[in-house]
Amino acid sequence: MSRRSKSPDTKADEEIYACIKASPPTSFVVTAGAGSGKTTSLIKAIDRVIQEHGKTMLMKKQKVACITYTEVAADEIRADVNADVLVHVSTIHSFYWTIVSSFQTDIKLWLKQDLKHRIDELVTKAQNFSSRVRQSTRDNNRRDQERLKSHLEEIESVSSFRYGMGSDYPNGVLGHEDIIQLANDLLKFRPLFRRLVALRYPFVFIDESQDTFEEVVKSFKMVEEQMRGHFCIGFFGDPMQKIYLRGIGSIELENGWRGITKSENFRCAQNILHVANAIRAQGDGLKQERGLYEEVEGKEQPIEGSARIFILPNTSDRKLALAQVRAWCAKADSDEGWVTPELAVKILVIVHRIAAKRLGWEDIFSALSDRSPDSIKQGLLDGTCWPVQPFLGFVLPLVAAMQDGNEFEAMNILRTQCPRLAASNLVGKNAAQLLHEVRKAKLELVRMMDGTTSCSIRDVAVHLRDTGLLALDERLERALRLQGVVADAEDGEAAGGQSSDLPVLRFLDCPATQLIPYGQYVSEGSPFATQHGVKGAQFDRVIVVMDEEENDFRLYDYEKVLGDAQASAGDRAAFAKGEDNQWSRTLRLLYVCCTRAKRGLALVFFVADPNTTAAHIKASGLFPEGGVVTEDILIKSRRQTGQDRVAVVPS
């Protein structure tokens, strides 16, 4: 039994158990707000499946599958279920690969058909080019056709395929998008495949279901429809926390399914919960209850906490303004945690570029994000894209160990990853001389990364290759061979290479020192995070920066949610009819941001007309009494305390 299974059951848990225990089990959709213990309910559901059906499943060599949105979430659940042999926990990509990997013939057939389809699309596009289409666009189309045709020929000799970080068809590697499309197609068009999945995994639970691709949901619904009575699917999610554009959001109940609502919130202090409920009232209307409690003299008491919004002119110095807000909150709450330089406060910004700029890795962000393939762009943000792997997985840990004087850890890293220290390469070698050379190479690596040189990431990669400290990915080796090529910034094509080489070439030209703050960011060792990147997380104190200058292609507009209601009247009406738009996207993002905070919440809103905006927000009732703070209040507070200027808090 897992740790979370010992927690008291909620009404929603009892309803889930009823679905699992039914004969046959009933598929269901759980809607659970932020901080409700949704994942706890999922884990308890897994335990209940094992209690009710474990013996039968063990005899049939079946498992209950739990599909999560991230690998971090998967690891968390694995730890809770104690790696039970009856439980398979993975991301959707890994799960899909598990069920398709043994069908190698089908994989090759599908890939050939997919490549032919993509070639045909390019041919049709080229045939329909108007006379105004630039020659460079025509040339890129032709090169893409040639590349895909080459892949079509090369995969004939591929004996087996595997799942990797990015697509590399000639070497038998399928990327994230390939796996999703492949599995969905097999589930959609192959009844036998659907049957095999159901017989192998009679229970499938999907966490964060609102962010699941619509096609994935459709595929599992097809399995359930065909195998009803032998297959039970459970979705655990919250449509109000759908903040990724590809997510399905709400999941419609099929005939015979059960809808379950979990309304508790165990995370947020009362004032924060008030704000969250006021925001949610404009969406689906679900009202959460309870809030965060603490034990005082043997009795549980609710924690009031703090929730405020600071309305500041958009001409403000952002860094200074945030420091002043933190100092004001520290005084108002009698809580020095607001101004400690450590990770006592999480600062949320709307886009990764802003976080990268403030933390000092903007060049890396631009290189691997602007006009880059989705696989690289997405993998940049969680540190999984292949170009960064040698640096995150080897260079930074080795340099950190050396700088800390931890020779044991440094040698352990080298022993496991340095090819020169592989047992097969030590035969007949002068061990003392070899260790001397390796030590010299790692000391030089530390020097290259310490900020005293102007080394590029390319310089570091060449050093790794030439000294034999690390064996580089063949794709990275190819990029190094392209040194000196001229990149056409307008067309996204690298002369002498492939279009996919360009982001890697840009990355290699970035300063090596930017790898350190980038590594801290993806490992959550930074006070900054994006408003999207913290979903599912919680922090004692949260600052949400709402700044239209930081907006990403106008996908969001906080003025429509927090300003004059007339400005969003059209969007609200369209949302009521089922249309997702700027207002509804922003509302959901605001809800997610606010519900990350446990004890203290500060929204910092930079606007052109602070007085008007403040009046609208006060009238809305979103914040508790005194929860709307304007610049004049900040100034007055500083004068009362004898502070003309607040020192900038280190971040």
Side-chain angles (χ1 to χ4, degrees):
M1 180 175 289
S2 69
R3 316 191 289 272
R4 300 198 204 192
S5 293
K6 299 176 183 178
S7 62
D9 288 339
T10 63
K11 182 175 180 294
D13 292 327
E14 293 172 355
E15 292 181 59
I16 295 169
Y17 299 159
C19 291
I20 293 169
K21 193 174 181 178
S23 184
T26 303
S27 294
F28 57 90
V29 177
V30 177
T31 300
S36 64
K38 169 169 52 61
T39 303
T40 296
S41 289
L42 185 150
I43 291 169
K44 293 168 70 129
I46 293 173
D47 279 343
R48 185 54 60 101
V49 168
I50 294 172
Q51 292 174 29
E52 297 289 339
H53 308 281
K55 290 182 180 179
T56 302
M57 291 170 60
L58 192 62
M59 288 190 303
K60 295 182 177 181
K61 297 182 179 180
Q62 296 174 323
K63 292 186 177 184
V64 52
C66 174
I67 298 172
T68 67
Y69 195 76
T70 66
E71 192 60 51
V72 173
D75 288 340
E76 180 185 349
I77 294 174
R78 289 191 194 103
D80 246 307
V81 299
N82 301 315
D84 195 297
V85 295
L86 290 173
V87 184
H88 174 89
V89 186
S90 67
T91 64
I92 184 60
H93 301 89
S94 297
F95 177 77
Y96 268 178
W97 182 243
T98 298
I99 63 178
V100 304
S101 58
S102 59
F103 296 83
Q104 290 289 325
T105 301
D106 297 272
I107 293 173
K108 179 179 284 192
L109 179 62
W110 173 85
L111 185 55
K112 289 167 68 173
Q113 292 173 340
D114 184 62
L115 287 171
K116 289 176 181 177
H117 177 69
R118 288 155 65 182
I119 293 168
D120 289 342
E121 284 185 332
L122 288 168
V123 170
T124 302
K125 188 176 181 179
Q127 291 172 344
N128 293 324
F129 280 152
S130 70
S131 58
R132 292 177 292 184
V133 174
R134 295 162 49 196
Q135 186 60 43
S136 60
T137 302
R138 299 174 186 271
D139 291 341
N140 283 337
N141 181 287
R142 175 181 52 78
R143 281 192 287 265
D144 285 338
Q145 287 188 49
E146 292 172 353
R147 175 172 55 83
L148 295 178
K149 288 177 180 177
S150 175
H151 290 341
L152 193 56
E153 295 175 359
E154 291 168 324
I155 64 171
E156 286 291 350
S157 59
V158 176
S159 58
S160 65
F161 294 88
R162 66 185 188 278
Y163 170 37
M165 292 294 178
S167 303
D168 186 6
Y169 304 141
N171 290 312
V173 181
L174 301 179
H176 293 335
E177 292 296 320
D178 299 315
I179 300 300
I180 292 292
Q181 189 178 341
L182 163 64
N184 282 337
D185 284 352
L186 289 177
L187 288 169
K188 184 177 180 180
F189 299 113
R190 300 279 294 276
L192 178 59
F193 193 72
R194 295 196 293 270
R195 177 177 173 81
L196 291 173
V197 170
L199 293 177
R200 187 174 177 183
Y201 300 99
F203 291 88
V204 174
F205 298 150
I206 298 181
D207 198 16
E208 303 293 351
S209 58
Q210 74 279 350
D211 293 321
T212 305
F213 300 159
E214 184 175 359
E215 285 300 312
V216 172
V217 174
K218 287 181 178 178
S219 295
F220 279 114
K221 282 190 171 185
M222 290 181 69
V223 176
E224 195 275 340
E225 182 181 17
Q226 177 181 322
M227 299 298 293
R228 182 165 293 186
H230 303 279
F231 179 79
C232 174
I233 185 140
F235 294 98
F236 295 75
D238 182 10
M240 272 298 289
Q241 295 188 71
K242 180 220 165 185
I243 58 176
Y244 299 106
L245 297 181
R246 292 184 64 181
I248 190 172
S250 298
I251 296 175
E252 293 185 7
L253 296 174
E254 301 298 318
N255 290 333
W257 289 27
R258 186 166 181 174
I260 300 170
T261 300
K262 191 176 188 185
S263 59
E264 294 86 358
N265 179 300
F266 301 101
R267 174 188 299 156
C268 303
Q270 300 302 310
N271 283 320
I272 300 170
L273 186 59
H274 167 86
V275 174
N277 280 332
I279 295 169
R280 189 149 193 161
Q282 302 177 61
D284 63 3
L286 174 65
K287 185 177 182 180
Q288 294 186 264
E289 55 197 27
R290 193 182 187 279
L292 183 65
Y293 276 62
E294 65 182 353
E295 190 171 303
V296 179
E297 297 180 352
K299 295 182 179 180
E300 276 204 332
Q301 294 186 4
I303 298 173
E304 291 300 314
S306 63
R308 306 180 182 93
I309 184 167
F310 295 79
I311 315 297
L312 304 177
N314 57 13
T315 55
S316 303
D317 179 294
R318 294 336 193 235
K319 190 173 185 179
L320 177 61
L322 289 182
Q324 293 171 342
V325 166
R326 294 176 70 167
W328 195 94
C329 289
K331 183 176 181 294
D333 294 346
S334 299
D335 178 9
E336 289 300 308
W338 282 106
V339 292
T340 56
E342 291 79 21
L343 302 183
V345 179
K346 186 64 90 173
I347 304 171
L348 308 184
V349 296
I350 199 165
V351 292
H352 291 277
R353 189 182 303 276
I354 300 301
K357 182 178 180 179
R358 292 179 178 173
L359 293 170
W361 57 280
E362 186 179 15
D363 293 330
I364 291 178
F365 179 88
S366 297
L368 294 177
S369 181
D370 297 346
R371 294 174 291 114
S372 295
D374 286 343
S375 58
I376 289 181
K377 188 181 301 184
Q378 295 167 4
L380 165 69
L381 304 179
D382 61 8
T384 60
C385 67
W386 67 263
V388 306
Q389 288 295 297
F391 308 99
L392 294 183
F394 178 79
V395 173
L396 294 184
L398 179 60
V399 169
M402 292 290 293
Q403 291 176 335
D404 291 342
N406 192 341
E407 287 286 347
F408 177 82
E409 176 62 20
M411 183 54 65
N412 188 50
I413 294 170
L414 289 166
R415 191 177 290 112
T416 56
Q417 297 191 61
C418 178
R420 296 191 69 182
L421 297 183
S424 58
N425 292 331
L426 295 175
V427 180
K429 300 289 179 64
N430 185 323
Q433 178 63 27
L434 179 61
L435 289 172
H436 173 74
E437 292 174 359
V438 169
R439 177 170 177 77
K440 183 179 177 181
K442 69 181 181 181
L443 288 173
E444 176 62 15
L445 179 63
V446 173
R447 189 188 71 84
M448 297 174 78
M449 294 292 296
D450 67 6
T452 61
T453 68
S454 57
C455 292
S456 67
I457 296 175
R458 180 187 298 278
D459 295 329
V460 173
V462 169
H463 178 71
L464 296 176
R465 180 193 65 190
D466 292 350
T467 60
L469 280 179
L470 186 68
L472 300 181
D473 186 293
E474 189 279 329
R475 293 167 291 184
L476 195 58
E477 289 276 16
R478 184 180 70 237
L480 291 177
R481 292 195 295 270
L482 293 173
Q483 183 174 7
V485 303
V486 178
D488 187 333
E490 186 176 4
D491 299 327
E493 186 74 21
Q498 304 174 7
S499 59
S500 58
D501 290 322
L502 182 57
V504 184
L505 295 174
R506 295 196 300 253
F507 169 67
L508 291 173
D509 287 336
C510 294
T513 51
Q514 291 194 12
L515 288 167
I516 296 173
Y518 168 62
Q520 292 172 340
Y521 185 73
V522 298
S523 64
E524 300 183 358
S526 156
F528 283 93
T530 64
Q531 296 170 15
H532 293 74
V534 294
K535 189 165 67 65
Q538 58 185 27
F539 313 95
D540 280 337
R541 307 163 196 85
V542 169
I543 294 176
V544 184
V545 180
M546 300 179 294
D547 191 345
E548 294 306 316
E549 291 183 8
E550 301 179 352
N551 210 333
D552 191 12
F553 304 109
R554 303 297 295 178
L555 288 173
Y556 309 96
D557 188 344
Y558 283 111
E559 284 277 12
K560 284 191 173 183
V561 173
L562 298 170
D564 185 359
Q566 290 302 313
S568 61
D571 280 351
R572 291 171 186 253
F575 173 73
K577 297 178 181 178
E579 176 189 310
D580 196 27
N581 51 45
Q582 218 179 31
W583 175 82
S584 58
R585 286 193 296 270
T586 308
L587 189 74
R588 293 194 301 269
L589 187 61
L590 184 60
Y591 172 78
V592 168
C593 291
C594 292
T595 54
R596 299 313 94 194
K598 296 172 64 179
R599 297 173 178 269
L601 171 68
L603 281 68
V604 186
F605 197 9
F606 295 100
V607 295
D609 187 353
N611 291 331
T612 301
T613 300
H616 289 312
I617 294 174
K618 287 178 180 178
S620 72
L622 282 174
F623 290 84
E625 186 71 24
V628 181
V629 184
T630 53
E631 186 181 39
D632 61 313
I633 297 176
L634 282 179
I635 294 172
K636 183 179 179 181
S637 175
R638 296 203 304 274
R639 288 173 177 171
Q640 289 175 344
T641 57
Q643 294 177 304
D644 294 326
R645 187 177 176 89
V646 178
V648 175
V649 180
S651 61

